[in-house]
Amino acid sequence: MSLRLRLVLTLWLVTLVAGAITIGFAAAGAYETADRMTRNTLTRAGYVLERNYHMEPRAGEPLYAEMTSIKLLGLMAPGTCIRFEQRLISERRLCASWKVFGPVAPEGFRKTVTRIFGETERATGAGSASQDGVYGIEVSFDPVAAATLAWQRVRLALWQTVGMAAGVLLLGTIAIYSRLKPVDGIVRGLDRLSKGDLDTRVTASGATEFRLIADAVNRLAQQLRTGTEARRALTRRLIEVEDVERRQLARDLHDEFGQMLTATAALAASIRLAAPPDSPGLARDADAIGANIRAMMTCLRGAFARLRPPDLDEVGLVASLRGMLSGWQAQSSARLTLDSTLDEAEMSGAVLLDLYRIVQECVTNAMRHGAPSQVDVSLHPEGDGIALTVEDDGGGRAEDGAPGHGLLGMSERTEAMGGTLRLQDTGRGVRIHVTLPDARGRCAA
């Protein structure tokens, strides 16, 4: 879930909680209003009872009670009930109408608020109406009226909350999406960096914090690019040194070890010719020495071919690769093919050598670590770069064990050229796919 969506959902949740709290305060306020109305009614009723006694000379007449009840009804708050008694007036109970509160609250709401807030407290009072007369009064609030007053307040608060929440949610959602818009660019930039696009730069925009993050990402990209270029240059230099050492080793093997093998072979031949007829064992030993020397010279010629590739500038990459594949095919029963549409004219000798070495390592790994019957090599242009694929059916797997020196060498050489190397399982064997960008007309780094 995205950050913006989480913030919007959080805003909605906070708004809902705030709305619930507002509705709860509205209901509680209604019950506080009912309590206040009860106490105010008690005060006004007591005042009327005392005042009526002093101002009415005919307090003992029957109409006095009715007049007193009428005056009390005129000052009672809606929803309140009065129970009072006075010297010559028997106990009476009066209740004021509460239709001003609107329709009666639903039964479920009445039960809920009554369970939460309970019934309003009764207010009682007493006083002296004369030297020998005492009155008593009790004021209460009708529970249904209290619930209906709460229902009226809650409905009003609910509509106000809905209106306010709609505005807050709309404006808050717009603000969140607009304020967090720079995050998209930062995330895309980091994603491109993770995929190796070190030319990525993030546009600084939005709040100060996002600008600081964008600047940090750009500095990181520049540092990664600088470090990668330095590592590629060092790797390229190490590869060049390795190629020089290979040529030197091939020259030393040819000039020294090769001559020693040739001399030893000549000596074995002399021994074979000089062996007396009565010493057949000596002749056999001389023949065995000669056979071993010939096998060693065959291995040595193979080492020469691996250590010192043919002159690519004169022979060409495709011809050199065909010669190498033919040599492997002659040593095994596998069929090795090459499909190439490269234009070698615009490619430097360093690039040709890198391609030759990569194909050489791929084929060597396939032939030594598997039992393929088919190895296919393809070289084709891909935009300004080159796509190289080597696929075999030797039954190996890309993730088997730790990578060997051959695979590491291919990876280092590919990375030094700014390319990518990917291994895939085909079910029948392994496919190695190498992509080299901007290979035309480029010298080794």
Side-chain angles (χ1 to χ4, degrees):
M1 185 182 297
S2 66
L3 174 62
R4 284 183 293 190
L5 184 55
R6 289 199 301 269
L7 290 176
V8 169
L9 291 178
T10 302
L11 177 62
W12 280 63
L13 179 61
V14 170
T15 303
L16 291 176
V17 173
I21 293 175
T22 301
I23 292 173
F25 275 118
Y31 273 81
E32 290 180 0
T33 300
D35 289 335
R36 186 171 59 254
M37 294 167 68
T38 301
R39 293 191 298 269
N40 291 342
T41 298
L42 175 64
T43 302
R44 289 195 296 267
Y47 173 75
V48 167
L49 290 177
E50 290 188 7
R51 183 173 177 272
N52 279 357
Y53 177 79
H54 292 293
M55 295 184 65
E56 293 291 342
R58 294 174 293 183
E61 296 182 3
L63 291 177
Y64 176 75
E66 279 70 19
M67 293 173 61
T68 301
S69 297
I70 292 173
K71 289 181 179 180
L72 290 176
L73 285 173
L75 58 84
M76 291 172 63
T80 57
C81 293
I82 294 178
R83 186 178 61 81
F84 72 98
E85 57 182 347
Q86 196 175 5
R87 187 166 58 95
L88 299 178
I89 303 175
S90 59
E91 180 178 334
R92 289 197 172 190
R93 189 173 188 273
L94 304 173
C95 289
S97 174
W98 44 269
K99 292 184 178 180
V100 293
F101 296 157
V104 179
E107 183 179 359
F109 180 82
R110 294 201 307 268
K111 291 181 179 180
T112 301
V113 295
T114 301
R115 186 163 52 248
I116 295 175
F117 299 104
E119 296 184 357
T120 57
E121 295 184 1
R122 298 174 181 270
T124 60
S128 176
S130 66
Q131 295 181 352
D132 57 353
V134 178
Y135 69 86
I137 184 171
E138 180 184 82
V139 181
S140 61
F141 206 94
D142 188 286
V144 179
T148 301
L149 177 60
W151 175 248
Q152 182 189 39
R153 296 283 183 87
V154 166
R155 289 177 60 193
L156 179 61
L158 181 61
W159 284 112
Q160 292 175 343
T161 302
V162 169
M164 181 184 67
V168 169
L169 292 175
L170 177 61
L171 296 178
T173 302
I174 294 174
I176 288 174
Y177 272 82
S178 62
R179 291 294 183 180
L180 295 182
K181 187 176 182 180
V183 174
D184 292 336
I186 294 173
V187 172
R188 287 194 298 268
L190 291 173
D191 185 58
R192 290 196 296 270
L193 276 179
S194 67
K195 295 178 180 179
D197 184 4
L198 302 183
D199 293 326
T200 296
R201 294 297 180 270
V202 177
T203 303
S205 61
T208 303
E209 291 79 3
F210 292 142
R211 292 178 179 272
L212 293 175
I213 294 175
D215 293 338
V217 171
N218 292 336
R219 290 195 300 272
L220 175 62
Q222 182 59 42
Q223 292 173 0
L224 289 175
R225 182 174 181 81
T226 302
T228 301
E229 290 176 352
R231 186 177 68 253
R232 285 178 179 174
L234 178 59
T235 303
R236 184 73 252 174
R237 180 58 183 163
L238 292 175
I239 290 174
E240 291 175 353
V241 171
E242 180 184 357
D243 288 335
V244 171
E245 290 181 348
R246 284 185 174 186
R247 292 190 182 94
Q248 182 64 41
L249 178 60
R251 190 161 43 247
D252 292 342
L253 288 175
H254 180 273
D255 294 342
E256 297 180 10
F257 193 65
Q259 291 180 4
M260 293 175 63
L261 286 178
T262 302
T264 304
L267 180 59
S270 298
I271 294 174
R272 174 71 177 82
L273 294 175
D278 57 349
S279 301
L282 181 61
R284 287 195 301 272
D285 292 341
D287 292 338
I289 293 174
N292 289 335
I293 291 175
R294 287 191 295 273
M296 293 175 65
M297 293 185 71
T298 301
C299 293
L300 187 61
R301 282 193 293 270
F304 288 156
R306 290 190 295 274
L307 292 174
R308 186 172 185 175
D311 193 343
L312 298 175
D313 291 334
E314 295 184 2
V315 180
L317 175 63
V318 173
S320 300
L321 290 177
R322 292 191 188 281
M324 178 185 66
L325 297 179
S326 298
W328 277 110
Q329 187 165 297
Q331 301 176 30
S332 65
S333 59
R335 182 172 180 269
L336 292 86
T337 64
L338 173 65
D339 179 20
S340 175
T341 57
L342 290 183
D343 183 6
E344 303 178 28
E346 299 181 4
M347 300 173 64
S348 67
V351 174
L352 296 176
L353 178 59
D354 283 330
L355 290 172
Y356 181 88
R357 289 298 189 192
I358 292 174
V359 174
Q360 184 182 46
E361 290 293 348
C362 291
V363 174
T364 300
N365 284 344
M367 300 301 294
R368 286 183 175 176
H369 302 295
S373 61
Q374 179 81 22
V375 179
D376 297 318
V377 180
S378 64
L379 275 167
H380 299 287
E382 189 175 84
D384 291 336
I386 296 174
L388 163 64
T389 303
V390 179
E391 182 175 349
D392 67 80
D393 60 355
R397 295 183 61 83
E399 66 274 9
D400 283 349
H405 294 293
L407 182 58
L408 290 176
M410 286 188 291
S411 300
E412 292 172 355
R413 195 177 289 269
T414 302
E415 183 180 0
M417 299 174 71
T420 59
L421 183 146
R422 186 171 67 254
L423 274 71
Q424 297 175 325
D425 288 324
T426 63
R428 300 167 55 245
V430 177
R431 179 188 298 116
I432 300 177
H433 185 74
V434 177
T435 303
L436 305 177
D438 302 326
R440 292 180 299 179
R442 177 178 60 80
C443 295

PDB file of all heavy atoms in Angstrom, residues 386-415:
ATOM      1  N   ILE A 386      25.774  -4.984 -28.745  1.00  0.00           N
ATOM      2  CA  ILE A 386      25.893  -6.354 -29.244  1.00  0.00           C
ATOM      3  C   ILE A 386      25.183  -7.283 -28.267  1.00  0.00           C
ATOM      4  O   ILE A 386      25.281  -7.118 -27.045  1.00  0.00           O
ATOM      5  CB  ILE A 386      27.369  -6.768 -29.370  1.00  0.00           C
ATOM      6  CG1 ILE A 386      28.076  -5.898 -30.415  1.00  0.00           C
ATOM      7  CG2 ILE A 386      27.497  -8.239 -29.755  1.00  0.00           C
ATOM      8  CD1 ILE A 386      29.566  -6.148 -30.481  1.00  0.00           C
ATOM      9  N   ALA A 387      24.479  -8.259 -28.823  1.00  0.00           N
ATOM     10  CA  ALA A 387      23.840  -9.296 -28.016  1.00  0.00           C
ATOM     11  C   ALA A 387      24.520 -10.616 -28.324  1.00  0.00           C
ATOM     12  O   ALA A 387      24.555 -11.063 -29.476  1.00  0.00           O
ATOM     13  CB  ALA A 387      22.354  -9.378 -28.323  1.00  0.00           C
ATOM     14  N   LEU A 388      25.079 -11.239 -27.290  1.00  0.00           N
ATOM     15  CA  LEU A 388      25.772 -12.522 -27.421  1.00  0.00           C
ATOM     16  C   LEU A 388      25.010 -13.564 -26.611  1.00  0.00           C
ATOM     17  O   LEU A 388      24.688 -13.343 -25.444  1.00  0.00           O
ATOM     18  CB  LEU A 388      27.207 -12.398 -26.898  1.00  0.00           C
ATOM     19  CG  LEU A 388      27.951 -13.706 -26.592  1.00  0.00           C
ATOM     20  CD1 LEU A 388      28.142 -14.511 -27.864  1.00  0.00           C
ATOM     21  CD2 LEU A 388      29.275 -13.415 -25.910  1.00  0.00           C
ATOM     22  N   THR A 389      24.722 -14.698 -27.229  1.00  0.00           N
ATOM     23  CA  THR A 389      24.022 -15.785 -26.549  1.00  0.00           C
ATOM     24  C   THR A 389      24.749 -17.096 -26.809  1.00  0.00           C
ATOM     25  O   THR A 389      25.081 -17.401 -27.958  1.00  0.00           O
ATOM     26  CB  THR A 389      22.564 -15.899 -27.032  1.00  0.00           C
ATOM     27  OG1 THR A 389      21.896 -14.662 -26.818  1.00  0.00           O
ATOM     28  CG2 THR A 389      21.829 -16.991 -26.267  1.00  0.00           C
ATOM     29  N   VAL A 390      25.007 -17.837 -25.732  1.00  0.00           N
ATOM     30  CA  VAL A 390      25.602 -19.175 -25.840  1.00  0.00           C
ATOM     31  C   VAL A 390      24.675 -20.122 -25.083  1.00  0.00           C
ATOM     32  O   VAL A 390      24.452 -19.960 -23.885  1.00  0.00           O
ATOM     33  CB  VAL A 390      27.022 -19.221 -25.250  1.00  0.00           C
ATOM     34  CG1 VAL A 390      27.583 -20.639 -25.361  1.00  0.00           C
ATOM     35  CG2 VAL A 390      27.923 -18.216 -25.949  1.00  0.00           C
ATOM     36  N   GLU A 391      24.142 -21.121 -25.788  1.00  0.00           N
ATOM     37  CA  GLU A 391      23.172 -22.042 -25.190  1.00  0.00           C
ATOM     38  C   GLU A 391      23.605 -23.476 -25.457  1.00  0.00           C
ATOM     39  O   GLU A 391      24.026 -23.807 -26.575  1.00  0.00           O
ATOM     40  CB  GLU A 391      21.782 -21.790 -25.768  1.00  0.00           C
ATOM     41  CG  GLU A 391      20.696 -22.669 -25.179  1.00  0.00           C
ATOM     42  CD  GLU A 391      19.316 -22.296 -25.690  1.00  0.00           C
ATOM     43  OE1 GLU A 391      19.183 -21.225 -26.332  1.00  0.00           O
ATOM     44  OE2 GLU A 391      18.375 -23.089 -25.480  1.00  0.00           O
ATOM     45  N   ASP A 392      23.492 -24.299 -24.418  1.00  0.00           N
ATOM     46  CA  ASP A 392      23.869 -25.709 -24.576  1.00  0.00           C
ATOM     47  C   ASP A 392      22.767 -26.586 -23.993  1.00  0.00           C
ATOM     48  O   ASP A 392      21.876 -26.116 -23.285  1.00  0.00           O
ATOM     49  CB  ASP A 392      25.204 -25.996 -23.864  1.00  0.00           C
ATOM     50  CG  ASP A 392      25.098 -25.872 -22.360  1.00  0.00           C
ATOM     51  OD1 ASP A 392      24.610 -26.815 -21.718  1.00  0.00           O
ATOM     52  OD2 ASP A 392      25.496 -24.812 -21.816  1.00  0.00           O
ATOM     53  N   ASP A 393      22.842 -27.874 -24.306  1.00  0.00           N
ATOM     54  CA  ASP A 393      21.883 -28.845 -23.773  1.00  0.00           C
ATOM     55  C   ASP A 393      22.583 -29.870 -22.911  1.00  0.00           C
ATOM     56  O   ASP A 393      22.235 -31.051 -22.896  1.00  0.00           O
ATOM     57  CB  ASP A 393      21.122 -29.531 -24.910  1.00  0.00           C
ATOM     58  CG  ASP A 393      22.049 -30.276 -25.864  1.00  0.00           C
ATOM     59  OD1 ASP A 393      23.291 -30.173 -25.690  1.00  0.00           O
ATOM     60  OD2 ASP A 393      21.549 -30.966 -26.769  1.00  0.00           O
ATOM     61  N   GLY A 394      23.571 -29.393 -22.141  1.00  0.00           N
ATOM     62  CA  GLY A 394      24.373 -30.311 -21.332  1.00  0.00           C
ATOM     63  C   GLY A 394      23.746 -30.712 -20.025  1.00  0.00           C
ATOM     64  O   GLY A 394      24.347 -31.484 -19.263  1.00  0.00           O
ATOM     65  N   GLY A 395      22.549 -30.191 -19.718  1.00  0.00           N
ATOM     66  CA  GLY A 395      21.854 -30.602 -18.507  1.00  0.00           C
ATOM     67  C   GLY A 395      22.284 -29.883 -17.249  1.00  0.00           C
ATOM     68  O   GLY A 395      21.816 -30.219 -16.157  1.00  0.00           O
ATOM     69  N   GLY A 396      23.165 -28.881 -17.340  1.00  0.00           N
ATOM     70  CA  GLY A 396      23.579 -28.136 -16.160  1.00  0.00           C
ATOM     71  C   GLY A 396      22.504 -27.152 -15.716  1.00  0.00           C
ATOM     72  O   GLY A 396      21.476 -26.967 -16.374  1.00  0.00           O
ATOM     73  N   ARG A 397      22.744 -26.554 -14.554  1.00  0.00           N
ATOM     74  CA  ARG A 397      21.823 -25.561 -14.004  1.00  0.00           C
ATOM     75  C   ARG A 397      22.599 -24.308 -13.670  1.00  0.00           C
ATOM     76  O   ARG A 397      23.755 -24.357 -13.235  1.00  0.00           O
ATOM     77  CB  ARG A 397      21.111 -26.092 -12.758  1.00  0.00           C
ATOM     78  CG  ARG A 397      20.192 -27.266 -13.054  1.00  0.00           C
ATOM     79  CD  ARG A 397      19.465 -27.708 -11.804  1.00  0.00           C
ATOM     80  NE  ARG A 397      18.632 -26.643 -11.250  1.00  0.00           N
ATOM     81  CZ  ARG A 397      17.398 -26.358 -11.674  1.00  0.00           C
ATOM     82  NH1 ARG A 397      16.869 -27.053 -12.677  1.00  0.00           N
ATOM     83  NH2 ARG A 397      16.703 -25.403 -11.118  1.00  0.00           N
ATOM     84  N   ALA A 398      21.922 -23.157 -13.825  1.00  0.00           N
ATOM     85  CA  ALA A 398      22.603 -21.882 -13.638  1.00  0.00           C
ATOM     86  C   ALA A 398      23.031 -21.660 -12.206  1.00  0.00           C
ATOM     87  O   ALA A 398      24.026 -21.007 -11.926  1.00  0.00           O
ATOM     88  CB  ALA A 398      21.685 -20.736 -14.093  1.00  0.00           C
ATOM     89  N   GLU A 399      22.256 -22.223 -11.229  1.00  0.00           N
ATOM     90  CA  GLU A 399      22.552 -21.944  -9.830  1.00  0.00           C
ATOM     91  C   GLU A 399      23.342 -23.061  -9.154  1.00  0.00           C
ATOM     92  O   GLU A 399      23.458 -23.083  -7.930  1.00  0.00           O
ATOM     93  CB  GLU A 399      21.255 -21.714  -9.045  1.00  0.00           C
ATOM     94  CG  GLU A 399      20.357 -22.942  -8.919  1.00  0.00           C
ATOM     95  CD  GLU A 399      19.432 -23.079 -10.106  1.00  0.00           C
ATOM     96  OE1 GLU A 399      19.616 -22.331 -11.080  1.00  0.00           O
ATOM     97  OE2 GLU A 399      18.527 -23.935 -10.056  1.00  0.00           O
ATOM     98  N   ASP A 400      23.844 -24.017  -9.899  1.00  0.00           N
ATOM     99  CA  ASP A 400      24.563 -25.129  -9.289  1.00  0.00           C
ATOM    100  C   ASP A 400      25.897 -24.643  -8.720  1.00  0.00           C
ATOM    101  O   ASP A 400      26.807 -24.248  -9.468  1.00  0.00           O
ATOM    102  CB  ASP A 400      24.838 -26.228 -10.323  1.00  0.00           C
ATOM    103  CG  ASP A 400      23.578 -27.039 -10.596  1.00  0.00           C
ATOM    104  OD1 ASP A 400      22.601 -26.875  -9.846  1.00  0.00           O
ATOM    105  OD2 ASP A 400      23.579 -27.814 -11.569  1.00  0.00           O
ATOM    106  N   GLY A 401      26.021 -24.686  -7.386  1.00  0.00           N
ATOM    107  CA  GLY A 401      27.291 -24.363  -6.745  1.00  0.00           C
ATOM    108  C   GLY A 401      27.670 -22.907  -6.874  1.00  0.00           C
ATOM    109  O   GLY A 401      26.954 -22.077  -7.409  1.00  0.00           O
ATOM    110  N   ALA A 402      28.867 -22.597  -6.350  1.00  0.00           N
ATOM    111  CA  ALA A 402      29.391 -21.235  -6.427  1.00  0.00           C
ATOM    112  C   ALA A 402      29.964 -20.990  -7.811  1.00  0.00           C
ATOM    113  O   ALA A 402      30.439 -21.907  -8.475  1.00  0.00           O
ATOM    114  CB  ALA A 402      30.474 -21.038  -5.358  1.00  0.00           C
ATOM    115  N   PRO A 403      29.944 -19.746  -8.285  1.00  0.00           N
ATOM    116  CA  PRO A 403      30.487 -19.455  -9.613  1.00  0.00           C
ATOM    117  C   PRO A 403      31.980 -19.727  -9.664  1.00  0.00           C
ATOM    118  O   PRO A 403      32.727 -19.368  -8.748  1.00  0.00           O
ATOM    119  CB  PRO A 403      30.164 -17.967  -9.792  1.00  0.00           C
ATOM    120  CG  PRO A 403      29.970 -17.431  -8.415  1.00  0.00           C
ATOM    121  CD  PRO A 403      29.401 -18.564  -7.631  1.00  0.00           C
ATOM    122  N   GLY A 404      32.429 -20.377 -10.757  1.00  0.00           N
ATOM    123  CA  GLY A 404      33.839 -20.684 -10.910  1.00  0.00           C
ATOM    124  C   GLY A 404      34.610 -19.502 -11.471  1.00  0.00           C
ATOM    125  O   GLY A 404      34.083 -18.425 -11.722  1.00  0.00           O
ATOM    126  N   HIS A 405      35.912 -19.747 -11.682  1.00  0.00           N
ATOM    127  CA  HIS A 405      36.768 -18.665 -12.182  1.00  0.00           C
ATOM    128  C   HIS A 405      36.354 -18.230 -13.584  1.00  0.00           C
ATOM    129  O   HIS A 405      36.467 -17.050 -13.934  1.00  0.00           O
ATOM    130  CB  HIS A 405      38.228 -19.135 -12.181  1.00  0.00           C
ATOM    131  CG  HIS A 405      38.770 -19.380 -10.802  1.00  0.00           C
ATOM    132  ND1 HIS A 405      38.970 -18.364  -9.899  1.00  0.00           N
ATOM    133  CD2 HIS A 405      39.126 -20.535 -10.171  1.00  0.00           C
ATOM    134  CE1 HIS A 405      39.447 -18.876  -8.761  1.00  0.00           C
ATOM    135  NE2 HIS A 405      39.550 -20.196  -8.898  1.00  0.00           N
ATOM    136  N   GLY A 406      35.879 -19.199 -14.395  1.00  0.00           N
ATOM    137  CA  GLY A 406      35.470 -18.829 -15.751  1.00  0.00           C
ATOM    138  C   GLY A 406      34.298 -17.863 -15.746  1.00  0.00           C
ATOM    139  O   GLY A 406      34.298 -16.847 -16.452  1.00  0.00           O
ATOM    140  N   LEU A 407      33.277 -18.173 -14.954  1.00  0.00           N
ATOM    141  CA  LEU A 407      32.112 -17.295 -14.882  1.00  0.00           C
ATOM    142  C   LEU A 407      32.481 -15.944 -14.285  1.00  0.00           C
ATOM    143  O   LEU A 407      32.002 -14.898 -14.746  1.00  0.00           O
ATOM    144  CB  LEU A 407      31.010 -17.958 -14.057  1.00  0.00           C
ATOM    145  CG  LEU A 407      29.705 -17.186 -13.930  1.00  0.00           C
ATOM    146  CD1 LEU A 407      29.110 -16.910 -15.300  1.00  0.00           C
ATOM    147  CD2 LEU A 407      28.702 -17.959 -13.066  1.00  0.00           C
ATOM    148  N   LEU A 408      33.315 -15.953 -13.251  1.00  0.00           N
ATOM    149  CA  LEU A 408      33.751 -14.684 -12.676  1.00  0.00           C
ATOM    150  C   LEU A 408      34.519 -13.861 -13.697  1.00  0.00           C
ATOM    151  O   LEU A 408      34.361 -12.632 -13.775  1.00  0.00           O
ATOM    152  CB  LEU A 408      34.626 -14.943 -11.440  1.00  0.00           C
ATOM    153  CG  LEU A 408      33.903 -15.504 -10.210  1.00  0.00           C
ATOM    154  CD1 LEU A 408      34.904 -15.805  -9.110  1.00  0.00           C
ATOM    155  CD2 LEU A 408      32.858 -14.517  -9.714  1.00  0.00           C
ATOM    156  N   GLY A 409      35.377 -14.525 -14.461  1.00  0.00           N
ATOM    157  CA  GLY A 409      36.124 -13.802 -15.494  1.00  0.00           C
ATOM    158  C   GLY A 409      35.206 -13.190 -16.540  1.00  0.00           C
ATOM    159  O   GLY A 409      35.399 -12.051 -16.965  1.00  0.00           O
ATOM    160  N   MET A 410      34.173 -13.968 -16.961  1.00  0.00           N
ATOM    161  CA  MET A 410      33.209 -13.414 -17.926  1.00  0.00           C
ATOM    162  C   MET A 410      32.470 -12.223 -17.329  1.00  0.00           C
ATOM    163  O   MET A 410      32.256 -11.202 -18.004  1.00  0.00           O
ATOM    164  CB  MET A 410      32.211 -14.499 -18.329  1.00  0.00           C
ATOM    165  CG  MET A 410      32.761 -15.540 -19.268  1.00  0.00           C
ATOM    166  SD  MET A 410      31.451 -16.635 -19.869  1.00  0.00           S
ATOM    167  CE  MET A 410      31.052 -17.536 -18.371  1.00  0.00           C
ATOM    168  N   SER A 411      32.056 -12.339 -16.071  1.00  0.00           N
ATOM    169  CA  SER A 411      31.326 -11.249 -15.425  1.00  0.00           C
ATOM    170  C   SER A 411      32.187  -9.998 -15.333  1.00  0.00           C
ATOM    171  O   SER A 411      31.727  -8.878 -15.618  1.00  0.00           O
ATOM    172  CB  SER A 411      30.863 -11.677 -14.028  1.00  0.00           C
ATOM    173  OG  SER A 411      30.014 -12.792 -14.092  1.00  0.00           O
ATOM    174  N   GLU A 412      33.445 -10.171 -14.925  1.00  0.00           N
ATOM    175  CA  GLU A 412      34.336  -9.016 -14.809  1.00  0.00           C
ATOM    176  C   GLU A 412      34.590  -8.370 -16.163  1.00  0.00           C
ATOM    177  O   GLU A 412      34.570  -7.140 -16.292  1.00  0.00           O
ATOM    178  CB  GLU A 412      35.655  -9.458 -14.172  1.00  0.00           C
ATOM    179  CG  GLU A 412      35.524  -9.871 -12.714  1.00  0.00           C
ATOM    180  CD  GLU A 412      36.800 -10.470 -12.176  1.00  0.00           C
ATOM    181  OE1 GLU A 412      37.750 -10.649 -12.984  1.00  0.00           O
ATOM    182  OE2 GLU A 412      36.867 -10.764 -10.965  1.00  0.00           O
ATOM    183  N   ARG A 413      34.802  -9.191 -17.176  1.00  0.00           N
ATOM    184  CA  ARG A 413      35.067  -8.632 -18.510  1.00  0.00           C
ATOM    185  C   ARG A 413      33.831  -7.922 -19.052  1.00  0.00           C
ATOM    186  O   ARG A 413      33.929  -6.852 -19.657  1.00  0.00           O
ATOM    187  CB  ARG A 413      35.502  -9.765 -19.456  1.00  0.00           C
ATOM    188  CG  ARG A 413      36.153  -9.295 -20.742  1.00  0.00           C
ATOM    189  CD  ARG A 413      36.599 -10.484 -21.562  1.00  0.00           C
ATOM    190  NE  ARG A 413      37.730 -11.176 -20.997  1.00  0.00           N
ATOM    191  CZ  ARG A 413      39.000 -10.896 -21.295  1.00  0.00           C
ATOM    192  NH1 ARG A 413      39.290  -9.912 -22.131  1.00  0.00           N
ATOM    193  NH2 ARG A 413      39.980 -11.601 -20.766  1.00  0.00           N
ATOM    194  N   THR A 414      32.649  -8.519 -18.808  1.00  0.00           N
ATOM    195  CA  THR A 414      31.411  -7.886 -19.271  1.00  0.00           C
ATOM    196  C   THR A 414      31.157  -6.571 -18.543  1.00  0.00           C
ATOM    197  O   THR A 414      30.791  -5.566 -19.154  1.00  0.00           O
ATOM    198  CB  THR A 414      30.220  -8.829 -19.050  1.00  0.00           C
ATOM    199  OG1 THR A 414      30.456 -10.057 -19.742  1.00  0.00           O
ATOM    200  CG2 THR A 414      28.938  -8.208 -19.566  1.00  0.00           C
ATOM    201  N   GLU A 415      31.361  -6.580 -17.227  1.00  0.00           N
ATOM    202  CA  GLU A 415      31.142  -5.351 -16.456  1.00  0.00           C
ATOM    203  C   GLU A 415      32.125  -4.274 -16.864  1.00  0.00           C
ATOM    204  O   GLU A 415      31.774  -3.088 -16.922  1.00  0.00           O
ATOM    205  CB  GLU A 415      31.280  -5.653 -14.961  1.00  0.00           C
ATOM    206  CG  GLU A 415      30.987  -4.444 -14.077  1.00  0.00           C
ATOM    207  CD  GLU A 415      31.131  -4.760 -12.609  1.00  0.00           C
ATOM    208  OE1 GLU A 415      31.455  -5.918 -12.276  1.00  0.00           O
ATOM    209  OE2 GLU A 415      30.934  -3.842 -11.791  1.00  0.00           O
TER     210      GLU A 415
END
